């Protein structure tokens, strides 16, 4: 997704150097737990990126869950999470029970920067995965972040559909409209991908890729905008017992 009508006058004085793109061809953690959110409909197919943040939960961008032409949600049966795609192989094929876009998210054909901070969603899987999740950054862990913190932006970009790529050593250039503007270059397919940060307890998901701003900059939904979304993910009363709430502490996942 690319933002329309973007105004970033507050950021014009900040440097915006390009950051190198690296192909990941590894099956070591955390790479198998980052995968493709595939849509296979009657008339079209599409893909985004998602991250397994708990055995039964995948974090992605909310706009990945909607048809960009009709602005209606995709039927759940048309969605599939393919974890750790490597050419013609993958780590897991995970079916989806339901989805939860942010409660304030409104799909738009021409989104603007002010729409980004709601562009996040959760996918609840039918069955828990055995892959090790990449936990979301908690508010307690956010103390590790400074203006000099470097991040890794991971995605299945259109130019590399079957291998994940990472922009290493990118940074948050500023905050605008409650979103982060970074020098993590992006393109179609990378939407929903994680912005990873290293903590004393391992890698954490600090943000979700929402949109490309230009050839260098991208807009990220920061972790503090989707903490509430993680509190009680479930697919209705019947499944509530089978879908435990995500732990928001710094404890390790099972």
């Amino acid at each position: 997704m690319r933002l329309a009508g973007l105004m970033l006058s507050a950021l014009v004085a900040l440097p915006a150097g390009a950051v190198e793109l690296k192909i990941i061809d590894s099956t070591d953690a955390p790479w198998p737990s980052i995968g493709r959110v595939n849509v296979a409909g009657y008339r079209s197919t599409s893909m985004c990126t998602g991250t397994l943040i708990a055995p039964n939960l995948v974090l992605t961008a909310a706009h990945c869950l909607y048809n960009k032409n009709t602005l209606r949600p995709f039927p759940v049966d048309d969605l599939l999470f393919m974890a750790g795609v490597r050419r013609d192989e993958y780590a897991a094929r995970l079916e989806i029970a339901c989805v939860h876009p942010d409660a304030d998210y409104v799909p738009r054909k021409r989104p603007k920067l002010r729409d980004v901070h709601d562009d996040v969603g959760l996918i609840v899987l039918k069955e828990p995965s055995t892959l090790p999740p990449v936990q979301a950054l908690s508010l307690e862990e956010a103390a590790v972040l400074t203006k000099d913190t470097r991040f890794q932006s991971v995605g299945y970009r259109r130019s590399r559909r079957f291998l994940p790529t990472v922009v290493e050593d990118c940074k948050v250039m500023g905050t605008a409209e409650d979103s982060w503007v970074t020098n993590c270059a992006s393109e179609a397919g990378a939407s929903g991908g994680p912005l990873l940060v290293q903590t004393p307890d391992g890698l954490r998901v600090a943000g979700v890729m929402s949109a490309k701003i230009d050839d260098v900059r991208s807009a990220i939904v920061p972790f503090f905008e989707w903490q509430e979304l993680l509190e009680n993910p479930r697919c209705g009363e019947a499944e509530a017992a089978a879908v435990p709430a995500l732990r928001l502490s710094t404890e390790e996942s099972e």
Side-chain angles (χ1 to χ4, degrees):
M1 182 173 72
R2 185 161 188 165
L3 295 176
L6 181 65
M7 296 297 292
L8 285 177
S9 57
L11 300 177
V12 293
L14 295 177
V19 183
E20 184 179 355
L21 189 67
K22 177 181 178 182
I23 297 174
I24 299 297
D25 195 5
S26 168
T27 56
D28 295 334
W31 310 120
S33 301
I34 300 170
R36 293 178 23 159
V37 179
N38 286 351
V39 182
Y42 175 69
R43 295 182 180 276
S44 64
T45 60
S46 63
M47 57 160 279
C48 277
T49 303
T51 308
L52 190 73
I53 60 169
N56 63 315
L57 296 175
V58 173
L59 185 68
T60 190
H63 77 261
C64 297
L65 308 176
Y66 288 80
N67 185 304
K68 66 180 180 180
N69 296 315
T70 66
L71 302 183
R72 295 179 179 178
F74 289 118
V76 172
D77 290 345
D78 288 351
L79 297 169
L80 190 66
F81 182 60
M82 303 295 294
V85 173
R86 295 292 183 278
R87 301 181 180 85
D88 58 349
E89 299 181 350
Y90 52 85
R93 179 184 185 276
L94 302 169
E95 296 184 355
I96 294 168
C98 66
V99 298
H100 291 287
D102 186 277
D104 295 323
Y105 177 74
V106 177
R108 294 177 172 86
K109 291 188 177 181
R110 292 179 62 79
K112 298 184 179 181
L113 184 61
R114 63 174 177 265
D115 305 316
V116 166
H117 69 99
D118 296 325
D119 187 18
V120 63
L122 275 181
I123 293 171
V124 181
L125 302 174
K126 288 185 177 180
E127 299 290 340
S129 170
T130 58
L131 294 170
V134 188
Q135 293 185 48
L137 185 72
S138 69
L139 294 175
E140 294 83 2
E141 292 172 313
V144 303
L145 303 181
T146 72
K147 63 182 180 62
D148 297 317
T149 297
R150 293 298 188 264
F151 300 87
Q152 300 180 61
S153 176
V154 186
Y156 282 85
R157 292 165 172 80
R158 178 171 55 190
S159 59
R160 293 288 189 275
R161 291 177 180 269
F162 301 102
L163 282 172
T165 50
V166 58
V167 179
E168 295 183 312
D169 200 37
C170 59
K171 64 180 180 179
V172 175
M173 302 165 62
T175 301
E177 301 286 352
D178 296 321
S179 300
W180 283 346
V181 176
T182 75
N183 65 339
C184 308
S186 186
E187 62 180 274
S191 290
L195 187 70
L196 301 177
V197 64
Q198 187 69 50
T199 76
D201 296 313
L203 283 173
R204 297 289 186 262
V205 181
V208 175
M209 177 64 70
S210 174
K212 174 180 178 177
I213 296 173
D214 53 33
D215 289 342
V216 173
R217 299 175 299 175
S218 61
I220 299 287
V221 191
F223 69 99
F224 49 80
E225 289 292 329
W226 33 268
Q227 294 294 308
E228 187 175 343
L229 186 66
L230 306 180
E231 290 179 357
N232 193 26
R234 58 185 186 180
C235 297
E237 296 301 324
E239 295 86 358
V243 184
L246 182 64
R247 287 181 287 182
L248 297 180
S249 71
T250 58
E251 297 175 49
E252 292 297 323
S253 293
E254 296 176 357

